[in-house]
Amino acid sequence: MAKPASIVPAKGRTAVVDVADQLTELIYAKMTPGVSLPSEAEMAARYGVSRVTVREAIKMLAGRGLVEISRGRRAVISEPTGEALGDFLGWIVQFDPKGMFDLVEVRMSLEVKAVALAAQRATRPAIAGIENMLDGMREVGKKIERIDADIEIERQFHRYDVGFHEAVALASGNRVITSLIEAMAVPLERSFFMSRRGKAARGIPVEHTVAAHQKILDCIKNKDSTGAISAMRAHLEESARDMRAALES
Amino acid sequence: MAKPASIVPAKGRTAVVDVADQLTELIYAKMTPGVSLPSEAEMAARYGVSRVTVREAIKMLAGRGLVEISRGRRAVISEPTGEALGDFLGWIVQFDPKGMFDLVEVRMSLEVKAVALAAQRATRPAIAGIENMLDGMREVGKKIERIDADIEIERQFHRYDVGFHEAVALASGNRVITSLIEAMAVPLERSFFMSRRGKAARGIPVEHTVAAHQKILDCIKNKDSTGAISAMRAHLEESARDMRAALES
DNA sequence: CATATATAACTTATATGATAAGTTTGGATA
DNA sequence: TATCCAAACTTATCATATAAGTTATATATG
């Protein structure tokens, strides 16, 4: 067994960053989500630093979304999800006043790409997943018609709506797209409610939204990529329009 | 002055995460990059936790790319760059064998969108920025023709190539696109070299690559959005093809 | 007076040691 | 065998101390 070479950070670097880098490599090597890192004590011994240093390094990795931390258990390599990414996109949006529109613009490209791919390669279960979300929308949608303006119901509807789009992304089979669209959900939540308010103001029923989604799903089922693209584009453009309308009032 | 309410994490949560959330809010409120956070001691006092806890929270934020840390100075709110994002995308790519292709696919959508927007809204200085990169490519390109197979020169060429695409993204005026394309540069570096090897194998000169970029720039200058889109798409599709070819050999 | 320099005050980086509170594991027990 | 409990692990947090950067201040120098 090789003697543990203590980490002596080069000038300008810190032990924490060095350890974080080493651990990143280690994670990339293991690569499989669900696998545990060594215990803090072990890592401290291996790298010749204190437990404090190791802990801070791990916290950095957690911030990047590479590991998940929970008390009493060792840190676990996490599956790449959009969660950590969402923060970052939120930060851009917050940073720039027109950031929200920038995000909507990007989302449109990604969703169009996603739906095009989904139409080509969606598997049966993936389609079932999309269908589920649409069913949910339809069901909750009825309640919205009856009881007016219940925020909690609206929120439920929103969850299914977001779920629909995530399911489409998933059906594309492209992990990067899936992660990005997931990541956008949180910062775009506000835009969604703006868009719905805009629709409500113009007296457009929820059914209309449901129908738009249904059309997208139909195209995917029929492997009609072109149709899916235009259906998605139409849907998103309308949302953007509603959003702008809501902003002006 | 309100007495500092000590952070008492709810069950299942930790003080570190709570502090990190509080600080995130604080950052969002200040929002301006370059502004310093309070000193660790101050924050510890304010939130009623130890310095260690504050430090770990800050490390999480640093991992997310929200702040920059340097010794002797307080943590500083950082400008949103694609750097932290790059790690994450790299992680996805590493995680999934076909991740590289997924990434190329996404890049194509984003770049096409970017160039379309750039053709519509590029300012004079933005165009000059793109031009600079193209000049660099052309200059370094000549060297590649003369001296064969110098890795360092290839790397230089690559930097200008990446720079060109980043400059186009910047010219789009869309911060989200810019950040994403920047973030992709690192994980896509390997794909770039594969693509060049593929070209070299087929005896395609560097000039051809330069010409493709020139065409894109011309379209942007002429505000020809449609032309820019097809020029960019053609260029990227060729790269992808070369990459596949290189993989097979 | 202006400038350079040395010193003090701040601030972060890291280590040690201790305690509390979760999680896992293995054995005793029914 | 199935269940429960205690011991062993492991992370969370704290207090304290020292080293080593950075910044501001005051002093000396031209």
Side-chain angles (χ1 to χ4, degrees):
Chain A
M1 181 67 77
K3 194 173 69 181
S6 284
I7 282 195
V8 184
K11 187 173 170 98
R13 293 181 57 87
T14 66
V16 169
V17 173
D18 281 348
V19 171
D21 287 349
Q22 297 259 350
L23 291 179
T24 303
E25 262 183 54
L26 194 141
I27 290 173
Y28 271 53
K30 300 234 176 186
M31 216 186 67
T32 333
V35 173
S36 294
L37 257 49
S39 73
E40 293 173 1
E42 266 178 79
M43 292 187 268
R46 159 149 32 212
Y47 299 122
V49 297
S50 77
R51 243 190 80 207
V52 176
T53 302
V54 170
R55 284 181 59 78
E56 291 187 6
I58 292 178
K59 284 292 186 318
M60 284 191 92
L61 302 188
R64 287 188 223 157
L66 256 61
V67 300
E68 267 167 25
I69 298 175
S70 51
R71 184 172 194 166
R73 294 180 207 169
R74 301 173 173 197
V76 171
I77 300 182
S78 65
E79 205 150 324
T81 70
E83 218 171 315
L85 217 53
D87 261 18
F88 184 81
L89 292 179
W91 174 221
I92 297 182
V93 168
Q94 187 83 10
F95 175 71
D96 189 342
K98 67 182 246 309
M100 185 71 86
F101 293 97
D102 285 356
L103 199 55
V104 169
E105 230 166 41
V106 171
R107 172 181 139 157
M108 202 168 301
S109 308
L110 290 178
E111 296 244 30
V112 165
K113 184 77 186 178
V115 84
L117 294 174
Q120 291 164 24
R121 358 195 242 215
T123 61
R124 275 233 149 271
I127 289 178
I130 305 175
E131 227 151 19
N132 273 343
M133 294 301 155
L134 185 56
D135 289 346
M137 282 178 76
R138 188 169 281 124
E139 202 169 323
V140 177
K142 284 181 201 155
K143 292 189 202 162
I144 293 190
E145 296 298 340
R146 282 211 303 270
I147 318 159
D148 191 50
D150 183 336
I151 270 287
E152 191 42 47
I153 303 278
E154 293 253 337
R155 217 174 283 274
Q156 260 180 38
F157 188 78
H158 173 237
R159 268 198 291 275
Y160 280 117
D161 190 339
V162 168
F164 180 95
H165 290 274
E166 286 180 0
V168 169
L170 200 63
S172 78
N174 185 315
R175 271 202 101 83
V176 177
I177 291 187
T178 309
S179 292
L180 285 174
I181 286 180
E182 272 177 28
M184 289 180 171
V186 176
L188 279 177
E189 192 171 335
R190 212 186 322 165
S191 94
F192 169 86
F193 283 106
M194 283 200 284
S195 156
R196 273 230 50 75
R197 213 180 314 145
K199 275 196 195 347
R202 280 164 49 210
I204 295 173
V206 187
E207 284 158 32
H208 181 261
T209 306
V210 175
H213 286 84
Q214 178 71 59
K215 194 169 173 190
I216 294 170
L217 174 57
D218 288 343
C219 291
I220 293 175
K221 274 183 175 171
N222 297 333
K223 300 196 179 303
D224 173 11
S225 195
T226 322
I229 290 177
S230 60
M232 176 65 86
R233 188 167 277 148
H235 167 52
L236 292 177
E237 267 165 9
E238 195 187 308
S239 294
R241 213 161 21 207
D242 291 330
M243 184 177 139
R244 263 177 300 237
L247 267 184
E248 280 160 14
S249 66
Chain B
M1 182 65 81
K3 195 172 70 183
S6 285
I7 283 195
V8 184
K11 187 175 170 96
R13 294 181 57 89
T14 66
V16 169
V17 173
D18 281 349
V19 171
D21 287 350
Q22 296 259 351
L23 290 179
T24 303
E25 264 184 53
L26 193 141
I27 290 172
Y28 272 51
K30 301 232 176 190
M31 217 186 66
T32 333
V35 173
S36 295
L37 257 49
S39 74
E40 292 173 3
E42 267 179 78
M43 291 188 269
R46 160 151 30 215
Y47 299 122
V49 297
S50 77
R51 244 189 79 205
V52 175
T53 302
V54 170
R55 283 180 61 77
E56 290 187 4
I58 291 178
K59 285 292 187 316
M60 285 192 89
L61 302 189
R64 288 188 222 158
L66 256 61
V67 301
E68 267 167 23
I69 298 175
S70 51
R71 183 172 193 167
R73 296 179 205 168
R74 302 174 171 196
V76 172
I77 300 181
S78 65
E79 205 150 326
T81 71
E83 219 170 314
L85 214 54
D87 263 12
F88 185 81
L89 292 179
W91 175 220
I92 297 181
V93 168
Q94 186 84 10
F95 173 72
D96 189 343
K98 66 182 247 307
M100 186 71 86
F101 292 97
D102 285 357
L103 199 54
V104 169
E105 230 166 42
V106 171
R107 173 182 138 158
M108 202 170 300
S109 309
L110 290 178
E111 296 244 32
V112 165
K113 184 76 185 177
V115 84
L117 294 173
Q120 290 164 26
R121 359 193 241 216
T123 61
R124 274 230 148 275
I127 289 178
I130 304 175
E131 227 151 20
N132 273 343
M133 295 300 153
L134 185 55
D135 289 347
M137 282 177 76
R138 189 169 281 124
E139 202 170 324
V140 177
K142 284 182 202 156
K143 293 188 201 164
I144 293 189
E145 295 300 339
R146 281 209 304 267
I147 318 159
D148 190 49
D150 183 336
I151 270 288
E152 189 43 46
I153 303 278
E154 293 254 336
R155 217 174 283 276
Q156 260 179 39
F157 188 78
H158 173 237
R159 266 199 291 275
Y160 281 117
D161 190 339
V162 168
F164 180 95
H165 290 274
E166 286 180 0
V168 170
L170 200 63
S172 78
N174 185 316
R175 268 201 104 85
V176 177
I177 291 187
T178 309
S179 291
L180 286 175
I181 286 180
E182 272 176 27
M184 288 179 173
V186 176
L188 279 178
E189 192 171 335
R190 211 185 325 164
S191 95
F192 170 86
F193 284 106
M194 283 200 284
S195 157
R196 273 229 52 75
R197 212 179 315 145
K199 275 198 198 341
R202 280 164 48 211
I204 296 175
V206 187
E207 282 159 32
H208 181 260
T209 306
V210 175
H213 286 84
Q214 178 70 60
K215 193 169 173 192
I216 293 171
L217 174 57
D218 289 343
C219 290
I220 293 175
K221 274 184 176 171
N222 299 331
K223 298 193 177 306
D224 173 12
S225 194
T226 322
I229 289 177
S230 60
M232 176 64 86
R233 187 167 280 148
H235 166 53
L236 292 177
E237 266 165 9
E238 196 188 307
S239 295
R241 212 162 21 208
D242 291 329
M243 183 177 139
R244 262 178 301 238
L247 267 184
E248 280 160 13
S249 67

